[in-house]
Amino acid sequence: MCSHRRRIAGILSVIVLIIASISLYSRHLTTIALTEELHALREEKPLNIIDLDSAINFGARTGIETRTSWNAPIMWESMFDGSLYDQMHKEANTAVALTVFAVGRYLEAYLNKFLTSAEEHFMVGLKVTFFVFTDSPEKVPEISFAPQRNLKVVKVEKYNRWQDISMMRMKTISEIIDTVLKHNFTYVFCFDVDQIFTARFGSEALGESVALLHAHYYKLPKYRFTYDRNPKSKACMTEGDYYYHAAIFGGTCEKVKALADYCYLNIMEDKMNDVEALWHDESHLNKYFWLNKPTKLLSPEYCWDRSLPNNDILIERLIWAPKDYEKLRTR
């Protein structure tokens, strides 16, 4: 009898994973104002990625790590010439998509400040489209954008639990890359909405596969990293390189889709086994980057928590917005 039940459970797990995989390619997104403009853009293929990392001055900063063991740069202020990156990306006609989720109370609390500060500091001078995923499109604020910079609003389902909202964004990111972004954009960056741009967040951050060092962990020994240690979870890690923050990740459309697909499928398998990773999609993201090393790391200057001592931080490019989780999060 036990063997029979295990066999049935195994079959059900396979069926659910197959359904999850099919749904990734269902290409069903509800958009606001159907996008003839985006369909027209499909004829333009993204240009080759720009690699200026050989010009980085790795010795410009002392006392902090500026390069990984696999020779990926860790971007800190003073290590690069931002104008050189900007010039090359403008000449290459680089187009960047930024995705952000503003669901439930997060929209009214954070979205306006996120978008206005992003317009001021994010990839200034490049073609940028801000994709806002929300359950309340009518509440998205009207923002004035510079030429070749615009906003697209995509309606998404609101889940009952904030944990599910956080985890299921990976499915949505994968779908929009497959249906729209890969045809129109060279790079895609994915952000949490409860953040504020305060200084240049420029083209030096672009790369094939980009991860962010978590501000709270970048100076801690590895044994204090909060990886998921539950062997029942697909996110379980017994070792790793760094602790990455899921508030920002990016890269080429191909690489970001691979990350999103990996996280979504493993989240779904965990759900089938009645398991939830310790830090939800962030735990799965850390596992992905352990197995698939990022080609560029962003220092905590690119996402800083002002409650921390900032001895290493020469410039705060993005900061954590004040959090009030008791009011903002659904249970």
Side-chain angles (χ1 to χ4, degrees), residues 102-112 134-137 139-141:
V103 179
R105 299 182 182 125
Y106 277 72
L107 189 156
E108 294 182 8
Y110 297 118
L111 183 59
N112 185 73
T134 180
D135 59 321
S136 302
K139 295 182 180 179
V140 173

Side-chain angles (χ1 to χ4, degrees), residues 10-66:
I11 292 171
L12 288 174
S13 296
V14 171
I15 291 172
V16 169
L17 287 175
I18 291 172
I19 293 172
S21 299
I22 291 172
S23 69
L24 281 172
Y25 301 97
S26 64
R27 302 187 176 189
H28 178 69
L29 286 175
T30 305
T31 59
I32 308 307
L34 278 180
T35 55
E36 292 181 1
E37 172 187 353
L38 289 177
H39 286 298
L41 284 171
R42 289 188 178 197
E43 298 177 1
E44 300 179 12
K45 294 295 183 182
L47 300 177
N48 292 331
I49 62 174
I50 304 299
D51 183 8
L52 291 174
D53 294 343
S54 59
I56 291 174
N57 182 359
F58 290 98
R61 297 291 296 269
T62 58
I64 50 178
E65 192 174 2
T66 59

Side-chain angles (χ1 to χ4, degrees), residues 103-164:
V103 179
R105 299 182 182 125
Y106 277 72
L107 189 156
E108 294 182 8
Y110 297 118
L111 183 59
N112 185 73
K113 189 63 176 178
F114 178 89
L115 288 176
T116 55
S117 64
E119 171 60 9
E120 184 177 357
H121 297 295
F122 180 75
M123 305 292 166
V124 174
L126 299 188
K127 295 179 179 179
V128 176
T129 299
F130 301 94
F131 287 85
V132 174
F133 298 90
T134 180
D135 59 321
S136 302
E138 70 283 357
K139 295 182 180 179
V140 173
E142 294 185 7
I143 306 292
S144 178
F145 293 99
Q148 297 188 312
R149 296 166 68 88
N150 56 85
L151 174 70
K152 299 296 177 186
V153 181
V154 182
K155 186 171 183 178
V156 294
E157 177 184 355
K158 180 183 177 182
Y159 293 91
N160 290 329
R161 301 167 63 247
W162 69 265
Q163 295 93 335
D164 291 324

Side-chain angles (χ1 to χ4, degrees), residues 24-273:
L24 281 172
Y25 301 97
S26 64
R27 302 187 176 189
H28 178 69
L29 286 175
T30 305
T31 59
I32 308 307
L34 278 180
T35 55
E36 292 181 1
E37 172 187 353
L38 289 177
H39 286 298
L41 284 171
R42 289 188 178 197
E43 298 177 1
E44 300 179 12
K45 294 295 183 182
L47 300 177
N48 292 331
I49 62 174
I50 304 299
D51 183 8
L52 291 174
D53 294 343
S54 59
I56 291 174
N57 182 359
F58 290 98
R61 297 291 296 269
T62 58
I64 50 178
E65 192 174 2
T66 59
R67 184 168 12 205
T68 70
S69 61
W70 60 93
N71 287 324
I74 304 174
M75 305 300 285
W76 294 89
E77 175 67 6
S78 300
M79 289 174 50
F80 58 87
D81 181 349
S83 63
L84 179 60
Y85 278 90
D86 290 346
Q87 177 186 345
M88 295 299 293
H89 279 285
K90 288 176 184 177
E91 291 176 359
N93 203 31
T94 294
V96 181
L98 181 154
T99 71
V100 64
F101 286 72
V103 179
R105 299 182 182 125
Y106 277 72
L107 189 156
E108 294 182 8
Y110 297 118
L111 183 59
N112 185 73
K113 189 63 176 178
F114 178 89
L115 288 176
T116 55
S117 64
E119 171 60 9
E120 184 177 357
H121 297 295
F122 180 75
M123 305 292 166
V124 174
L126 299 188
K127 295 179 179 179
V128 176
T129 299
F130 301 94
F131 287 85
V132 174
F133 298 90
T134 180
D135 59 321
S136 302
E138 70 283 357
K139 295 182 180 179
V140 173
E142 294 185 7
I143 306 292
S144 178
F145 293 99
Q148 297 188 312
R149 296 166 68 88
N150 56 85
L151 174 70
K152 299 296 177 186
V153 181
V154 182
K155 186 171 183 178
V156 294
E157 177 184 355
K158 180 183 177 182
Y159 293 91
N160 290 329
R161 301 167 63 247
W162 69 265
Q163 295 93 335
D164 291 324
I165 295 170
S166 175
M167 291 189 291
M168 296 307 288
R169 68 172 175 156
M170 292 297 185
K171 176 177 181 289
T172 306
I173 289 169
S174 175
E175 288 177 338
I176 200 166
I177 289 174
D178 206 34
T179 56
V180 174
L181 302 190
K182 71 180 183 181
H183 303 286
N184 312 317
F185 298 93
T186 322
Y187 300 94
V188 55
F189 257 85
C190 308
F191 283 81
D192 283 354
V193 72
D194 51 348
Q195 305 178 102
I196 302 168
F197 292 87
T198 51
R200 172 191 169 93
F201 196 117
S203 57
E204 76 282 349
L206 298 173
E208 187 177 4
S209 177
V210 182
L212 168 72
L213 295 183
H214 199 298
H216 285 239
Y217 297 99
Y218 81 102
K219 297 192 77 170
L220 295 182
K222 289 184 179 180
Y223 75 87
R224 294 186 61 184
F225 292 173
T226 55
Y227 297 138
D228 189 291
R229 309 289 185 179
N230 180 3
K232 294 181 180 180
S233 173
K234 296 291 290 184
C236 180
M237 297 175 63
T238 57
E239 57 180 326
D241 301 308
Y242 302 94
Y243 191 84
Y244 301 111
H245 195 175
I248 304 172
F249 57 93
T252 62
C253 289
E254 177 186 5
K255 293 297 185 180
V256 175
K257 178 173 168 55
L259 182 157
D261 286 351
Y262 174 91
C263 292
Y264 172 64
L265 290 173
N266 283 288
I267 286 168
M268 292 303 295
E269 186 166 340
D270 273 3
K271 282 181 174 292
M272 265 302 301
N273 295 320

